[in-house]
Amino acid sequence: MPVITNIEDLKRIYRRRTPRMFYDYCESGSWTEQTFRENSSDFDDLYFRQRVAVDMSNRTTATKMIGQDVAMPVALAPVGLTGMQTADGEIKAAKAAEKFGIPFTLSTMSICSIEDVAEHTTKPFWFQLYTMKDQDYLARLIQRAKDAKCSALVVTLDLQILGQRHKDLKNGLSAPPKPTLANMVNLATKWRWGLGMLGTKRRQFGNIVGHIDDVGDPSSLMAWTAEQFDPALDWSAIEKIKEMWGGPLILKGVMEPEDAVMAANVGADAIVVSNHGGRQLDGALSSIRALDPILQAVGDRVEVHIDSGIRSGQDVLKARAMGAKGTYIGRAYIYGLGAMGEAGVTKALEVIHKELDVSMAFCGHRDINNVGRDILKVPAGFSGDWQ
Ligand code: GLV
């Protein structure tokens, strides 16, 4: 067992063990990948203020996201095709999150279905919803999330159409992979992954296949998105979804203060400042730079969370200090999952928790709930003075 001390260690093992098309799917941004890169690198422009001779005993990272207790202000982000990273991936990740005491968010485009995950967990998880043209299917999906006792609906606002990720096109991304020569050659070296897949029946989009008729190509995220996602989504549709759902609502993909105000106006419980991990609008600002003007625009009207670019506990601490109540990790836990299944997700969470806890102490705090912007040196103009 290798000694794992950071998220990069998990990423290296993940890369070795995972079929190329799924590694590439995870590790891509859209087009030039500028936003994908800057989401992470912009965290490096924020510096901590080290404090000394401060009591560091009895620390806690426990807090709340949308009123729910969390062991640290981190949720697992919805990630499509997680059950292709390793067999039954969503169930494994949900179990790790549950044991750690943080929320797991199941993607609409998951391999394990809502019911599968509910059956294998004991605490409520969150469900991420893409808005579909087919209103009956949409209503059924929301009802299924209610029946599974999901404790928040996370509606993604920035993926009515799909941003282009070159590698997915070149690799012919599909779930399950098609038996092309290139795939067979690559899969031949991934025996661990293959054995896992042979041992599960969950190899297709579990929330879709068997739940809707007439799907053109049920194995292709790109085809399904183009065919079924609703390009006409607007705020009135979101109001309708809120009504149908009737529970805690999180709106994900907000990057501009005007949209944050609209989200507060429709009565969202939280928004996620997110550019979809740099997978949609390439050339958008990083989420961490977009955060401040949004906080200023909405004040306390809606809880503000953030995702995109978070790979460490230091990033979580910086985001929290900047004012985000909660953060989400996507790739950082997928690395762990693809490397070692449930134990790998737990490892990723342990790594991030330790980084968060110890860095918080070095900044002079013992309780995450008391951390504010004063622990940071934020360069002038960090959030920009845009014309
Ligand atoms: C969403 O499903 C994505 O691929 O970003």
Side-chain angles (χ1 to χ4, degrees), residues 25 80 130 159 165 221 276 279:
Y25 171 70
Y130 281 123
L159 202 147
R165 301 107 192 222
L221 174 74
H276 214 106
R279 301 163 71 80

